[in-house]
Amino acid sequence: MATKFINQLRSCICNDESLASMSPRVPHYTPSMTKSPKSLSPHENNNNNYNSEERSDQFMNAVFQVTGMTCSACAASVEKAVKRLAGIRQASVDVLNNRALVLFYPSFVTEEEIRGKIEDAGFQATLIKEESNAKSIQKCRIRIKGMTCTSCSSTVESALNALHGVQSSNVALATEEAQVHYDPKVISYNQLLQTVEDTGFEAMLISIGEDISRIEIEIEGMKTDHSIATITKSLQALPGVQDVDILPELNKISISYKPELTGPRTFIEVIESTGSGHFKAMIYPEGRGKDSYRQQEIKQYYKFFLWGLIFTIPVFLTSMVFMYVPGIKRLLDAKIVNNLTIGGILRWELSTPVQFIVGWRFYIGSYKALRHGSPNMDVLIALGTNAAYFYSVYTVLRAANSRDFNGADFFETSAMLITFILLGKYLEVLAKGKTSEAIAKLMELAPETATLLTLNEEGNVIGELEIDSRLIQKDDVIKVVPGAKVASDGLVIWGESHVNESMITGEAKPVSKRKADSVIGGTVNENGVLHVKATRVGSESALSQIVRLVESAQMAKAPVQKFADRISKYFVPLVITFSFSTWFAWFLAGKLHSYPHSWIPSSMDSFELALQFGISVVVIACPCALGLATPTAVMVGTGVGASQGVLIKGGQALESAHKVNCIVFDKTGTLTVGKPVVVNTRLLKQMLPQEFYELVAATEANSEHPLGKAIIEYAKIFREDAENPLWPEVQDFVSLTGQGVKAMVRNKEIIVGNKSLILEKDITIPTDAEEALAEAEGMAQTGIIVSIDREVAGVIAISDPLKPGSQEVISILKSMKVKSIMVTGDNWGTANSIAKEVGIDTVIAGAKPEQKAEEVKHLQASGYTVAMVGDGINDSPALVAADVGVAIGAGTDIAIEAADIVLMKSNLEDVITAIDLSRKTFLRIRLNYIWALGYNVLGIPIAAGALFPSTGFRLPPWIAGAAMAASSVSVVCCSLLLKNYRRPKKLDNLGIHGIRIE
């Protein structure tokens, strides 16, 4: 079993299909021009077929046993040595378990080469073959209730990681969720839930897996064990059903399924037909799901705060206000027995419900925390309030038994402490709910209902039915009227209209839609009626992928959070130790008369003064604020980014992006529009253009390269059947990485490629062809040479215009002190012309995918923090090698991109937005730490009485408690200010709009 650190790499991997889409395939010409089938425009057909000779290997991961490592420096040496190899996607070394996990491209590097590189670094390495395949690992998300600080989340995380079968876990305090990668063959998710429960917290399953959909159904009439078993058996018999969970107490059933095989309408039909029609089923109301948990928590804190306030106000008035009103003071000071007063009894009675009923949750939390040896904030609160309360009880009882005792009680301290802390928790939960508004807004894009059409065999509509949009199944036909939202991703099978896709793609201008065009769920139909065939539903939809990506980003921890995690282990024990030390020091000083008696207030003695100082120290310390400093800022930052079309995959990407001082740009599809067109053809043989392009188009028809597509589109003008042309039959087709293609067409050997390919095949390039190539390169065009039977037959010049605003974006980056470099697989002449036009000084041309990655690593070795901006499969090695990979042209399959940041709008200007947002977010994290540490570093000494000898100022415990509550609220509110983020004003003056080619 691979160790915990595998999670750092597995977060980059979605599933095998995703990996296939990210393979470093380079058909020919300019590597960067190739578009991933998973990143096609919504208007392009995703059903691409690859020739077997074109497809390269998927990413693979291998685990090595490394012996000889003694410290983190050794681990760093191994990691650095491995990353120097071409084709390394990621490497992570665990010095404690002597393991190295490497994710790599097998087409560029082998396991043996990796092992040899580790040994070259001075260590022994052995491949652990049985661990090199992680396909059996599954992911689940768990909601955890009751965590109050980083100590709580660390306890749960440690307990989960200790389980056999758990590969890694990540517990997020801000979202109150856990994400666990585990082997279902070894451990079940029920055992994970039980482990969380055993650590003292409530656990509830949110989801299992990423490649399956999940639906919750409410069932009426499910009362007996027999009926439950009958329903379960009926559902499990359906093809595509993965898992069935029944919660009889809620009359709810949760089903995981494969949407291509079955769907929710089928489940409802099966349930209602089971048991002679005694059951009635419907989609479980959304209001009882995830959002309701947060609302329930807010209401609970609000209710307890109000009850605390009802009892605390009278306690406060009797101890702090009425004592200065003569008539009431006499009444409160009236003695019942010996020195026991009416006021003392009244305060005792009023504070007891606050201490033991309203504050009961702190006792439970303290017990659970101490039982597992991880003291948290609840322990501090319980310790402080109990000290105040029980000392007050002691003073009351002693006064009742003595005529000479005049000690003061602190009932108002315990009651006010609990009430103020509950107010702080209420405000904190309220604010934390706002940090995840981005996900709620994304989910609201989906319409509540949809119009389902019934078609006859001829395809004519014979019926309409309005259904819950969550009941849509694959291949359903949905009617979308003007002004309505598209209910599902799909293909238009009838009608014409314009669809506003700005909420998904960022394209401000409505996009024309007609038969065979794809549409995205959540977008708005402007005019005209469309009939849409659902192709991707449930978790497969674009909207679901975006939501899942944002949720994963908000779960991911930034490296800077390790600082808070380290502090949390020792924070509470140190505070308790310091509190007792404070009390003992002041008490001892009082007994030894080390300070003037006049320092002691008239209402207390030296013991009570010392006790107040000790309680103040306990209650002012706040571990919560430290734990919330990073995750709340990351949550808001990623949410704001999503709302602006910049999807940032978690804290790691945010932290790296704010340090970026060098950006490597791909050319085609990044700096240019990415829609090349043929602009000139020079024939060098006596043949008709139609015959020439017949042969070339037939050869290129098997390629998915943008240049090949441009040639095919141009060739159509010579055909009468331009809509669906039939090209001559092709034999022996071969794609030559980074150079071109060759094939046999009509018994002629056709080679289409760049100059290096023609020379490599020992074909003479005539002077006319050289001149044509030079002319094309001088005009920033790409020259393609065509050879027929080993003789150059012509040169095709292809142009790809610059994206609007490219020059301005490079200029702004220079003003931000970020260096820009262009690395492309295109020829030097074309690349240099484009670079001069946009203002880039450093150009690397003719680079293959592995060479792009090597250039990124070279820049990193030179001390740069590098971001790679690209748009295709060929950029994947460089995207992964860079400190921050930025994908341009996200299309609809956003969640499976190799990059750390995905720019949904396909705008180059959003590169600046991503870097600026990360800088602003990280600045907010720093401010949060200043808030959190400031409260503790300054507050604890003041609470301990540091200012009392010189100024006479002391911090009463109830004020210290209010300060502690305010610290967490301050941190969350500081993070929430990020919601006001506005991109740099310089970008508003560019007038750049999303590029979307029909």
Side-chain angles (χ1 to χ4, degrees), residues 698-916:
T699 305
E700 290 286 5
N702 292 287
S703 170
E704 292 295 328
H705 197 281
L707 295 185
K709 289 182 178 180
I711 292 173
I712 293 170
E713 285 299 314
Y714 186 76
K716 289 179 181 178
I717 66 174
F718 299 103
R719 297 293 297 260
E720 294 181 0
D721 56 341
E723 193 69 32
N724 293 295
L726 294 174
W727 305 110
E729 185 179 349
V730 175
Q731 295 177 334
D732 302 327
F733 174 82
V734 177
S735 175
L736 301 161
T737 303
Q739 295 179 306
V741 293
K742 70 172 185 176
M744 296 296 295
V745 183
R746 291 176 178 167
N747 295 321
K748 296 180 179 180
E749 182 190 54
I750 311 297
I751 299 177
V752 186
N754 55 26
K755 184 177 179 179
S756 66
L757 174 61
I758 301 301
L759 292 175
E760 187 179 294
K761 297 298 180 182
D762 294 326
I763 299 173
T764 303
I765 302 177
T767 305
D768 290 349
E770 293 277 11
E771 291 175 355
L773 287 174
E775 182 182 341
E777 291 172 5
M779 300 174 66
Q781 298 168 358
T782 300
I784 304 301
I785 301 177
V786 178
S787 165
I788 300 177
D789 286 335
R790 307 190 64 76
E791 183 181 350
V792 173
V795 176
I796 301 172
I798 299 177
S799 175
D800 187 9
L802 278 177
K803 279 186 177 179
S806 296
Q807 185 176 356
E808 291 86 348
V809 167
I810 300 301
S811 177
I812 293 173
L813 286 171
K814 284 182 180 178
S815 69
M816 297 170 65
K817 297 182 179 179
V818 178
K819 181 178 181 179
S820 296
I821 295 174
M822 185 170 77
V823 180
T824 176
D826 210 340
N827 63 76
W828 166 255
T830 304
N832 193 44
S833 298
I834 292 290
K836 284 183 177 179
E837 194 171 345
V838 298
I840 293 178
D841 300 323
T842 306
V843 180
I844 297 169
K848 296 180 180 180
E850 63 271 26
Q851 292 170 331
K852 291 183 180 182
E854 284 301 318
E855 181 58 31
V856 167
K857 293 179 181 180
H858 175 70
L859 289 166
Q860 290 169 329
S862 301
Y864 288 103
T865 300
V866 183
M868 170 67 194
V869 184
D871 77 321
I873 297 174
N874 302 302
D875 301 316
S876 294
L879 287 171
V880 173
D883 297 287
V884 181
V886 182
I888 288 268
T892 56
D893 281 325
I894 298 161
I896 59 174
E897 293 287 349
D900 302 301
I901 298 176
V902 180
L903 308 183
M904 294 171 63
K905 299 179 184 178
S906 300
N907 288 346
L908 198 61
E909 62 180 293
D910 284 339
V911 173
I912 296 172
T913 303
I915 293 175
D916 184 67

Side-chain angles (χ1 to χ4, degrees), residues 292-608:
S292 65
Y293 163 72
R294 181 73 68 185
Q295 293 301 319
Q296 181 184 356
E297 190 178 25
I298 291 171
K299 289 178 181 178
Q300 189 179 52
Y301 274 116
Y302 182 66
K303 181 181 71 174
F304 279 113
F305 165 67
L306 284 183
W307 277 110
L309 202 61
I310 289 171
F311 289 98
T312 299
I313 290 176
V315 175
F316 173 77
L317 291 175
T318 57
S319 60
M320 312 286 279
V321 178
F322 292 158
M323 298 308 292
Y324 299 97
V325 180
I328 301 178
K329 184 179 185 305
R330 281 196 299 272
L331 177 62
L332 294 174
D333 288 343
K335 297 178 180 178
I336 303 174
V337 179
N338 292 327
N339 274 355
L340 178 62
T341 63
I342 292 176
I345 290 292
L346 190 60
R347 287 190 292 273
W348 187 6
E349 290 177 345
L350 290 169
S351 64
T352 298
V354 179
Q355 183 71 35
F356 297 108
I357 299 177
V358 177
W360 182 247
R361 65 178 311 278
F362 299 119
Y363 284 97
I364 296 174
S366 299
Y367 167 73
K368 292 177 179 178
L370 292 173
R371 191 179 67 178
H372 294 92
S374 57
N376 59 7
M377 190 194 76
D378 289 336
V379 174
L380 297 179
I381 296 170
L383 188 62
T385 57
N386 276 301
Y389 178 83
F390 285 107
Y391 176 74
S392 300
V393 172
Y394 162 76
T395 60
V396 169
L397 294 177
R398 186 171 175 187
N401 290 282
S402 173
R403 295 184 180 182
D404 302 321
F405 181 74
N406 291 313
D409 63 71
F410 297 149
F411 286 121
E412 80 284 351
T413 296
S414 66
M416 291 173 71
L417 267 176
I418 290 173
T419 303
F420 270 118
I421 289 165
L422 287 173
L423 172 62
K425 293 300 291 183
Y426 166 70
L427 295 175
E428 179 188 322
V429 173
L430 201 64
K432 279 164 64 178
K434 295 182 182 295
T435 61
S436 56
E437 280 183 354
I439 292 177
K441 288 180 179 178
L442 283 170
M443 296 180 73
E444 287 172 3
L445 292 176
E448 293 183 0
T449 60
T451 303
L452 178 66
L453 298 180
T454 304
L455 308 180
N456 59 20
E457 293 181 358
E458 289 76 30
N460 299 317
V461 178
I462 58 175
E464 295 184 7
L465 178 66
E466 187 173 284
I467 62 171
D468 189 310
S469 62
R470 291 172 294 171
L471 291 174
I472 296 175
Q473 298 183 182
K474 193 169 183 179
D475 295 331
D476 282 346
V477 178
I478 306 299
K479 178 181 177 181
V480 188
V481 299
K485 291 181 178 180
V486 179
S488 170
D489 292 6
L491 292 174
V492 176
I493 62 172
W494 180 87
E496 292 186 9
S497 184
H498 286 78
V499 175
N500 184 348
E501 297 182 338
S502 60
M503 63 289 297
I504 301 293
T505 66
E507 171 60 54
K509 187 178 179 180
V511 181
S512 174
K513 299 291 181 182
R514 56 184 66 89
K515 187 176 180 180
D517 283 342
S518 61
V519 291
I520 308 171
T523 55
V524 179
N525 184 22
E526 295 280 329
N527 51 17
V529 178
L530 296 176
H531 291 178
V532 177
K533 183 178 182 180
T535 56
R536 296 188 300 180
V537 297
S539 63
E540 293 182 338
S541 70
L543 200 56
S544 294
Q545 290 185 44
I546 295 171
V547 169
R548 194 159 62 241
L549 177 58
V550 176
E551 286 179 334
S552 296
Q554 294 185 344
M555 280 289 296
K557 289 183 179 180
V560 71
Q561 193 173 339
K562 293 177 182 177
F563 170 69
D565 292 342
R566 285 195 296 268
I567 291 177
S568 68
K569 294 179 181 178
Y570 313 105
F571 188 87
V572 175
L574 283 174
V575 167
I576 294 173
T577 302
F578 188 61
S579 172
F580 274 104
S581 300
T582 299
W583 167 79
F584 183 74
W586 277 102
F587 174 69
L588 191 62
K591 288 296 182 183
L592 298 176
H593 305 291
S594 299
Y595 59 81
H597 190 268
S598 59
W599 286 12
I600 304 174
S602 58
S603 60
M604 61 180 70
D605 58 21
S606 60
F607 175 84
E608 293 164 347

